[in-house]
Amino acid sequence: MRNDELMTNNEARNSALRHLRFDIPATFNIRASSLLSLALLAFWATAHAADNIGVLGSKPQWNVLQRYQKTITHDDFVRLINGVYCTQGFADDLIKISNDSAQILENREAHSLFELHFAADETSCAHVPRLWRPAKSLPPADPSKPLNGLRIALDPGHLGGNWAKMEERWFKVGDTKPVKEGDLALKVARLLAIRLKELGAKVFFVRNSAEPVTPKRPDDFKTLARKILIKNGVPRPRPDVLDPNDSEKEQTIRWQSEILFYRYSEIRRRAVLVNTKLHPDLVLCLHFNAEGWGDPNNPTLIDNNHLHLLVNGSYLKDELEFDDERFEMIRRLLSRVYDEELPAAEAVAASMAKDTGLPPYQYPTTQTTTKVGTTGYVYARNLLATRLYRCPVVYCEPYVMNSKDAFARIQAGDYKGTRNINGVERKSIFREYADAVADGLADYYKASRGRGD
């Protein structure tokens, strides 16, 4: 994808509301408009000032965190805050840490605080409440079935079919088949599901068609989109986009209502499905990357091709000002998802690097990400999907779709065995992707199962 589903509030603030952030040098903005990005968040924050929540977010239930009292030591809390989640720093009044407890601001206007009490030491830590199961808590398995009993949810990024153009995850070169990221990701997910089941896993799909998961559609957000535009200096917003090349298309009701639909409503609905119905031990978010391609009907193909994976973390100071984001971050920290998703991501990264031969992507800035682990392929980043799913999430971003090599392999489609692509015998890009992820997970769970919770 391009880290999009995942967009952080700050990205929505600093990049366009309608933009999808590609993981590329300097960042390729799709449907970019910093003014409108800021507009949506500013409007939403103003309309929900008492709670100060993110776009389409819900008021956080801080009392839920009472279950985590004395489940973590002071040193472990500090390790995760400083080394993973708040690597960009945080305002002094948001989190205050003493030897025995941490005080976390619930709401600035109400001057309310949540106090978390630390365990005296590791041996006295209370049990961590969670619905997902760490690898070490699972019983040993047959070496041929290292994923036996594991519940894995596959989340193919974006939408497919006719929705791809709306999301701007679509391009076409001459008379070739259009490239639609949502369809590519779903093809990988279906192949991966077969491999994971063979390894013993119970597999669920967050999305298993080209259609949205959310029952909402752009028309459901027209009123909100109009209010956003008026609130931010567009007194008579146009209802529709008349020309795709119009520099002011971001100031239309259609433009903004579509973003509210596919970016915020869709991802939040997927989170509801994951958290209340599927209850997986692990979510695999499957995407393809891209760099700026210009006109989607006459795109630029490039030489660059690379790979990276994401786990949740590296929240920005501005993001932590939102009550719901701060709450979601603390809940993830206390459930210890990072200590599960990082080694899982590292194992998958090592397997993918071996099979694809791709170099690690290097973010052009450290302002939104923090490199973690030892492989060089994994970054912590605060994205909507990775933040809202209440279990470990491994977010895969291999292949630059508009690279010459990846494009040729995508056009070749899926096939068994190998074919000569650009002078090299290669698996289909879809099977290479699926096999590398499956092999990486098998390696991780073989090494980690049965070591005690």
Side-chain angles (χ1 to χ4, degrees):
M1 126 189 149
R2 321 104 204 235
N3 297 5
D4 70 314
E5 263 167 63
L6 339 182
M7 193 167 216
T8 67
N9 273 327
N10 198 63
E11 284 169 347
R13 189 183 268 113
N14 295 332
S15 344
L17 225 208
R18 213 239 163 122
H19 122 198
L20 273 215
R21 210 63 205 230
F22 282 78
D23 296 328
I24 58 179
T27 305
F28 170 48
N29 291 345
I30 292 187
R31 293 186 163 188
S33 158
S34 58
L35 169 63
L36 271 297
S37 255
L38 177 58
L40 184 145
L41 286 165
F43 171 83
W44 193 265
T46 299
H48 298 74
D51 297 323
N52 193 26
I53 59 177
V55 178
L56 301 185
S58 301
K59 183 178 179 180
Q61 303 298 313
W62 289 93
N63 61 304
V64 168
L65 300 186
Q66 291 293 347
R67 295 178 295 176
Y68 294 95
Q69 295 291 0
K70 296 189 175 182
T71 60
I72 191 169
T73 65
H74 167 276
D75 290 353
D76 213 18
F77 184 85
V78 170
R79 171 182 69 88
L80 292 168
I81 281 287
N82 293 337
V84 180
Y85 292 101
C86 298
T87 55
Q88 312 294 331
F90 53 88
D92 291 341
D93 66 333
L94 293 184
I95 304 172
K96 295 182 178 180
I97 304 172
S98 68
N99 289 334
D100 300 322
S101 66
Q103 290 190 332
I104 302 150
L105 185 68
E106 294 181 348
N107 180 270
R108 184 171 279 117
E109 186 172 312
H111 304 292
S112 55
L113 297 170
F114 172 78
E115 186 169 17
L116 174 73
H117 297 281
F118 298 137
D121 51 48
E122 291 289 344
T123 60
S124 62
C125 283
H127 178 73
V128 177
R130 53 195 168 205
L131 294 177
W132 60 273
R133 297 166 299 168
K136 64 184 181 181
S137 72
L138 298 173
D142 186 305
S144 66
K145 300 283 185 179
L147 306 185
N148 187 47
L150 191 70
R151 297 173 63 89
I152 299 178
L154 301 180
D155 184 15
H158 307 291
L159 304 173
N162 294 330
W163 299 102
K165 281 191 174 182
M166 177 188 293
E167 282 196 284
E168 296 189 346
R169 297 311 203 268
W170 178 99
F171 70 85
K172 187 176 188 294
V173 177
D175 295 329
T176 63
K177 293 175 290 186
V179 175
K180 305 175 184 179
E181 187 185 348
D183 288 342
L184 303 182
L186 182 56
K187 186 175 292 188
V188 171
R190 288 172 174 170
L191 289 168
L192 178 56
I194 296 170
R195 284 293 320 278
L196 296 177
K197 289 176 182 177
E198 291 172 348
L199 293 168
K202 297 178 181 179
V203 179
F204 308 89
F205 283 84
V206 179
R207 175 177 72 87
N208 196 14
S209 77
E211 295 302 300
V213 176
T214 178
K216 301 290 187 181
R217 292 296 181 266
D219 284 355
D220 294 313
F221 298 102
K222 283 185 174 180
T223 299
L224 176 57
R226 184 174 183 274
K227 289 179 179 179
I228 290 168
L229 291 164
I230 292 173
K231 178 74 175 180
N232 289 275
V234 185
R236 295 181 180 83
R238 288 181 291 152
D240 213 337
V241 177
L242 303 178
D243 179 1
N245 297 315
D246 184 352
S247 62
E248 295 185 350
K249 60 186 177 182
E250 299 94 338
Q251 299 182 20
T252 63
I253 293 172
R254 175 184 170 187
W255 186 271
Q256 295 305 327
S257 63
E258 287 177 354
I259 261 214
L260 288 164
F261 154 68
Y262 74 71
R263 169 79 44 69
Y264 295 98
S265 178
E266 173 67 9
I267 296 171
R268 288 189 180 278
R269 185 63 184 179
R270 293 189 192 194
V272 170
L273 177 61
V274 168
N275 297 336
T276 65
K277 185 177 180 180
L278 302 183
H279 301 300
D281 298 308
L282 176 71
V283 172
L284 296 172
C285 293
L286 306 171
H287 292 262
F288 284 74
N289 214 330
E291 295 198 10
W293 58 54
D295 182 353
N297 292 297
N298 186 27
T300 300
L301 297 183
I302 60 175
D303 293 324
N304 293 350
N305 204 5
H306 43 68
L307 157 72
H308 75 287
L309 287 81
L310 297 164
V311 297
N312 187 251
S314 196
Y315 288 62
L316 306 187
K317 288 183 179 180
D318 287 347
E319 293 165 355
L320 291 172
E321 290 293 329
F322 286 89
D323 297 343
D324 56 334
E325 290 208 37
R326 193 165 59 255
F327 167 78
E328 289 152 2
M329 180 195 75
I330 294 296
R331 177 162 56 186
R332 288 192 69 79
L333 182 156
L334 294 176
S335 66
R336 306 303 203 288
V337 289
Y338 177 76
D339 291 334
E340 184 75 12
E341 61 192 10
L342 177 62
E346 289 270 88
V348 172
S351 177
M352 295 189 81
K354 175 177 176 290
D355 286 7
T356 67
L358 293 175
Y361 172 68
Q362 302 296 329
Y363 275 86
T365 175
T366 59
Q367 293 179 357
T368 59
T369 62
T370 300
K371 186 175 284 190
V372 293
T374 60
T375 63
Y377 284 91
V378 183
Y379 289 85
R381 188 177 183 187
N382 175 28
L383 300 171
L384 188 57
T386 60
R387 185 175 73 249
L388 294 182
Y389 297 168
R390 298 174 195 163
C391 65
V393 179
V394 173
Y395 196 98
C396 303
E397 284 277 5
Y399 311 110
V400 174
M401 294 186 293
N402 61 315
S403 70
K404 295 171 185 176
D405 182 65
F407 176 75
R409 298 181 70 190
I410 289 168
Q411 291 300 307
D414 182 39
Y415 51 85
K416 294 181 180 180
T418 63
R419 288 185 186 175
N420 190 293
I421 307 291
N422 291 335
V424 180
E425 289 294 318
R426 307 293 296 269
K427 284 184 180 179
S428 90
I429 195 170
F430 308 102
R431 290 173 189 262
E432 180 179 85
Y433 190 160
D435 287 345
V437 172
D439 291 344
L441 287 180
D443 290 343
Y444 172 63
Y445 282 93
K446 282 178 183 176
S448 303
R449 291 184 70 128
R451 295 191 172 186
D453 190 0

